[in-house]
Coordinates of all heavy atoms in Angstrom, one line a residue:
M300 N 18.2 -16.2 53.6 CA 18.0 -17.6 53.3 C 16.9 -18.2 54.3 O 16.8 -17.7 55.4 CB 19.2 -18.5 53.4 CG 19.8 -18.6 54.8 SD 21.3 -19.7 54.8 CE 21.8 -19.5 56.5
I301 N 16.1 -19.1 53.8 CA 15.1 -19.8 54.6 C 15.8 -20.9 55.3 O 16.2 -21.9 54.6 CB 13.9 -20.2 53.8 CG1 13.2 -19.0 53.2 CG2 12.9 -20.9 54.7 CD1 12.1 -19.3 52.2
A302 N 16.0 -20.9 56.6 CA 16.9 -21.9 57.2 C 16.5 -22.2 58.6 O 15.6 -21.6 59.2 CB 18.3 -21.3 57.2
L303 N 17.2 -23.2 59.2 CA 17.1 -23.6 60.6 C 18.2 -22.8 61.4 O 19.2 -22.3 60.8 CB 17.4 -25.1 60.7 CG 16.3 -25.9 60.1 CD1 16.8 -27.4 59.8 CD2 15.1 -26.0 61.1
P304 N 17.9 -22.6 62.7 CA 18.8 -21.7 63.5 C 20.3 -22.0 63.5 O 21.1 -21.2 63.5 CB 18.2 -21.7 64.9 CG 17.3 -23.0 64.9 CD 16.8 -23.2 63.5
W305 N 20.6 -23.3 63.6 CA 22.0 -23.7 63.6 C 22.8 -23.5 62.3 O 24.0 -23.6 62.3 CB 22.2 -25.2 64.1 CG 21.3 -26.1 63.3 CD1 21.7 -26.8 62.2 CD2 20.0 -26.6 63.7 NE1 20.7 -27.5 61.8 CE2 19.6 -27.5 62.7 CE3 19.2 -26.3 64.8 CZ2 18.4 -28.1 62.7 CZ3 18.0 -27.0 64.8 CH2 17.6 -27.8 63.8
E306 N 22.1 -23.2 61.3 CA 22.8 -22.9 60.0 C 23.6 -21.6 60.1 O 24.5 -21.4 59.3 CB 21.8 -22.9 58.8 CG 21.2 -24.2 58.5 CD 20.3 -24.2 57.3 OE1 20.8 -24.1 56.2 OE2 19.1 -24.4 57.5
V307 N 23.3 -20.8 61.1 CA 24.1 -19.6 61.3 C 25.5 -20.0 61.7 O 26.5 -19.4 61.2 CB 23.4 -18.6 62.3 CG1 24.3 -17.4 62.6 CG2 22.1 -18.2 61.9
D308 N 25.6 -20.9 62.6 CA 26.9 -21.4 63.1 C 27.7 -22.1 61.9 O 28.9 -21.9 61.8 CB 26.8 -22.4 64.2 CG 26.3 -21.7 65.5 OD1 26.7 -20.5 65.7 OD2 25.6 -22.3 66.3
T309 N 26.9 -22.8 61.1 CA 27.6 -23.4 59.9 C 28.1 -22.4 59.0 O 29.3 -22.4 58.5 CB 26.6 -24.3 59.2 OG1 26.1 -25.3 60.0 CG2 27.2 -25.0 58.0
A310 N 27.4 -21.3 58.8 CA 27.8 -20.2 57.9 C 29.1 -19.5 58.5 O 30.0 -19.0 57.8 CB 26.7 -19.2 57.7
A311 N 29.1 -19.5 59.8 CA 30.2 -18.7 60.5 C 31.5 -19.5 60.6 O 32.6 -19.0 61.0 CB 29.8 -18.3 61.9
K312 N 31.5 -20.8 60.2 CA 32.7 -21.6 60.3 C 33.9 -21.0 59.5 O 35.0 -21.0 59.9 CB 32.4 -23.0 59.8 CG 31.7 -23.9 60.8 CD 31.4 -25.3 60.3 CE 30.7 -26.1 61.3 NZ 30.4 -27.5 60.7
N313 N 33.5 -20.5 58.3 CA 34.6 -19.9 57.5 C 34.5 -18.3 57.4 O 35.2 -17.7 56.7 CB 34.5 -20.4 56.0 CG 34.8 -21.9 56.0 OD1 35.7 -22.4 56.7 ND2 34.0 -22.7 55.3
N314 N 33.5 -17.8 58.2 CA 33.4 -16.3 58.2 C 32.7 -15.9 59.6 O 31.5 -15.7 59.7 CB 32.4 -15.9 57.1 CG 32.2 -14.4 57.0 OD1 32.8 -13.6 57.7 ND2 31.4 -14.0 56.0
A315 N 33.6 -15.9 60.6 CA 33.1 -15.7 62.0 C 32.4 -14.4 62.1 O 31.4 -14.3 62.9 CB 34.3 -15.8 62.9
A316 N 32.8 -13.4 61.3 CA 32.2 -12.1 61.5 C 30.7 -12.0 61.1 O 29.9 -11.2 61.5 CB 32.9 -11.1 60.6
I317 N 30.3 -13.0 60.3 CA 28.9 -12.9 59.7 C 27.9 -13.2 60.8 O 26.7 -12.7 60.7 CB 28.7 -13.9 58.6 CG1 27.5 -13.5 57.7 CG2 28.5 -15.4 59.1 CD1 27.5 -14.2 56.4
K318 N 28.3 -13.9 61.9 CA 27.3 -14.2 63.0 C 26.8 -12.9 63.6 O 25.6 -12.8 64.0 CB 28.0 -15.1 64.0 CG 27.0 -15.8 64.9 CD 27.7 -16.9 65.7 CE 26.7 -17.6 66.6 NZ 27.4 -18.8 67.3
E319 N 27.7 -11.9 63.8 CA 27.3 -10.6 64.4 C 26.4 -9.8 63.5 O 25.8 -8.9 64.0 CB 28.5 -9.9 64.8 CG 29.4 -10.6 65.9 CD 30.6 -9.8 66.2 OE1 30.8 -8.7 65.6 OE2 31.4 -10.2 67.1
K320 N 26.4 -10.1 62.2 CA 25.6 -9.4 61.3 C 24.3 -10.1 60.9 O 23.7 -9.7 59.9 CB 26.4 -9.1 60.0 CG 27.8 -8.4 60.2 CD 28.6 -8.3 59.0 CE 29.9 -7.7 59.2 NZ 30.8 -7.7 57.9
T321 N 24.0 -11.1 61.6 CA 22.8 -12.0 61.3 C 21.7 -11.9 62.3 O 22.0 -11.9 63.5 CB 23.3 -13.4 61.1 OG1 24.1 -13.5 59.9 CG2 22.1 -14.3 60.9
S322 N 20.5 -11.8 61.8 CA 19.3 -11.9 62.7 C 18.3 -12.8 61.9 O 18.7 -13.4 60.9 CB 18.8 -10.6 63.0 OG 17.8 -10.6 64.0
A323 N 17.1 -12.8 62.4 CA 16.1 -13.6 61.7 C 14.7 -13.0 61.9 O 14.4 -12.3 62.9 CB 16.1 -15.0 62.2
F324 N 13.7 -13.4 61.0 CA 12.3 -13.1 61.3 C 11.5 -14.3 60.8 O 11.9 -15.0 59.9 CB 11.9 -11.8 60.5 CG 12.2 -11.8 59.1 CD1 11.2 -12.3 58.1 CD2 13.4 -11.3 58.5 CE1 11.4 -12.2 56.8 CE2 13.6 -11.2 57.2 CZ 12.7 -11.7 56.3
P325 N 10.3 -14.5 61.4 CA 9.5 -15.6 60.9 C 9.1 -15.4 59.5 O 9.0 -14.3 58.9 CB 8.2 -15.5 61.8 CG 8.7 -14.7 63.0 CD 9.7 -13.7 62.5
I326 N 8.8 -16.6 58.8 CA 8.3 -16.5 57.4 C 7.0 -15.7 57.4 O 6.1 -16.1 58.1 CB 8.1 -17.9 56.9 CG1 9.5 -18.7 56.8 CG2 7.5 -17.9 55.5 CD1 9.4 -20.2 56.4
P327 N 6.9 -14.7 56.6 CA 5.7 -13.8 56.6 C 4.5 -14.5 56.0 O 4.7 -15.4 55.1 CB 6.1 -12.6 55.8 CG 7.6 -12.6 55.7 CD 8.0 -14.1 55.8
S328 N 3.4 -14.1 56.5 CA 2.1 -14.6 55.9 C 1.6 -13.7 54.8 O 2.1 -12.6 54.7 CB 1.1 -14.7 57.0 OG -0.2 -14.9 56.5
R329 N 0.7 -14.2 54.0 CA 0.1 -13.3 53.1 C -0.8 -12.3 53.8 O -1.2 -11.3 53.2 CB -0.8 -14.2 52.1 CG -2.0 -14.9 52.7 CD -2.8 -15.6 51.7 NE -4.0 -16.2 52.3 CZ -5.1 -16.6 51.6 NH1 -5.2 -16.3 50.3 NH2 -6.1 -17.2 52.2
N330 N -1.2 -12.6 55.0 CA -2.0 -11.7 55.8 C -1.1 -10.8 56.6 O -0.3 -11.3 57.5 CB -2.9 -12.5 56.7 CG -3.9 -13.4 56.0 OD1 -4.5 -13.0 55.0 ND2 -4.0 -14.7 56.5
A331 N -1.1 -9.5 56.4 CA -0.2 -8.6 57.1 C -0.2 -8.7 58.6 O -1.3 -8.8 59.2 CB -0.5 -7.2 56.6
G332 N 0.9 -8.8 59.2 CA 1.0 -8.8 60.6 C 1.0 -10.3 61.2 O 1.2 -10.4 62.4
E333 N 0.8 -11.3 60.3 CA 0.8 -12.6 60.8 C 2.0 -13.4 60.3 O 2.7 -13.0 59.4 CB -0.5 -13.4 60.3 CG -1.8 -12.7 60.8 CD -3.0 -13.5 60.2 OE1 -2.8 -14.6 59.6 OE2 -4.1 -12.9 60.4
T334 N 2.3 -14.5 60.9 CA 3.4 -15.4 60.5 C 2.8 -16.6 59.8 O 1.7 -17.0 60.1 CB 4.3 -15.8 61.6 OG1 3.5 -16.7 62.5 CG2 4.8 -14.6 62.4

Side-chain angles (χ1 to χ4, degrees):
M300 64 176 175
I301 300 172
L303 291 160
W305 50 86
E306 290 184 70
V307 176
D308 288 330
T309 302
K312 285 181 179 179
N313 297 316
N314 183 4
I317 203 167
K318 196 167 183 177
E319 297 178 358
K320 302 174 183 177
T321 293
S322 189
F324 57 87
I326 296 173
S328 169
R329 64 175 183 159
N330 301 314
E333 297 180 10
T334 64

